[in-house]
Amino acid sequence: MVLTRFDREREALGELFADLPRYRSDQIWRAIYYEGDDPMQWTALSLQLRERVAEVLPTALTPVHTSISDDGDTQKMLWELADGSRIESVLMLYPDRATVCISTQAGCAMACSFCATGQAGFTRHLSVGEIVEQVARARQAAISRGRRLSNIVVMGMGEPLANERALWPSVERVHREYELSARHITVSTVGLVAGIDRLADRPLPVNLAVSLHAADDELRNQLVPINRRHPIDDLIASCSRYLEKRRRRISFEWAMIDGVNDRDSDAEKLASLCHRLSPSAHVNLIPLNPTPGYPVRGSDRKTIARFCDTLERHGVNVTVRRNRGDEIDAACGQLAAGQPVRLGRRPSGGGS
Ligand code: SAH
């Protein structure tokens, strides 16, 4: 595949412009990261050099469509890649932070039953250039709204720990270039045990989120099929090794699904899994977002509140995640690269 604008490390970019003095390639590097996606606007460079950059450093992402909700505070960006695959990223502006949710694969092979990306299947891994450029574009979009991009969540399309080869160089690059603290970067996994173990040894202490959704193997096998390969005991053991090394918080993601995983007994089992970890895991409840392939509703508000209470009574820290972007199919599990996801409104539920 052709290398795109953000694929190369600093040194390799220099080699591409080896005929020029070193300060020129430094200038180009800075312009790539800080001056937007159109080289013609990089007026510190000569026109000739700008034209050369545009030709030898093509962008990886072509904008297809941007959907806006929450009065512009949530933007879903649909991108086309060079091979025609499509991916999405979502920029969310909050009073105290600006977060981008990025994709690491076109599609996903994990096949979680309630997730639109999983329902659509796997196309391919993204490259470093395709991942880093999502952050660069979101940073620009934040700036155009007078904001500074402060957080990254790797919770878009794909399973990040199935694409570590591109994930880690990308995370390290944006951490360095955009001075984002590791505490403001979160990687979410379906629970790939070996990947969690490697994450614990990475130099950069990013946050870990684990998409749990069920606290017993029988139910988790149905919702998250990879559980057959990495059952809950193995997963909890790897989380525990991670905590021993890192002493950081782990979050468990839990989509609240009506009548499926929202009973008192589910909350109790979840609490006892949390207690096996020290410090205990934090639980993020996400009201299930509708997807075409999973005709079950999200839990209603009352059930969510009750589930929350049960966890709290057992001493578990819990938050209910506000559902950003659900009216533009940009919410958790709804990213499907432009395919229609809309199912009609949920009768209730949702934090927004
Ligand atoms: N593959 C990684 C990264 C995706 S993160 C992972 O599984 O963690 C996307 C998050 O949204 C995951 O926690 C996922 O389980 C959750 N999710 C998927 N479909 C959803 C839906 N329909 N409603 C709410 N959350 C969903």
Side-chain angles (χ1 to χ4, degrees), residues 10 44 83 101 190 209 225 250 272 280 298 306 312-313:
R10 177 72 197 76
D83 66 350
C101 175
V190 71
I250 287 188
S272 70
S280 169
R306 184 184 164 111
E312 279 174 346
R313 253 190 295 114

Side-chain angles (χ1 to χ4, degrees), residues 114-115 155-156 158-160 188-190 211 213 253 255 288-289 291 332-333:
F114 53 91
C115 175
M155 296 188 177
E159 167 51 40
S188 180
T189 178
V190 71
S211 299
H213 307 306
E253 312 289 298
L288 182 83
N289 294 305
T291 60
C332 303

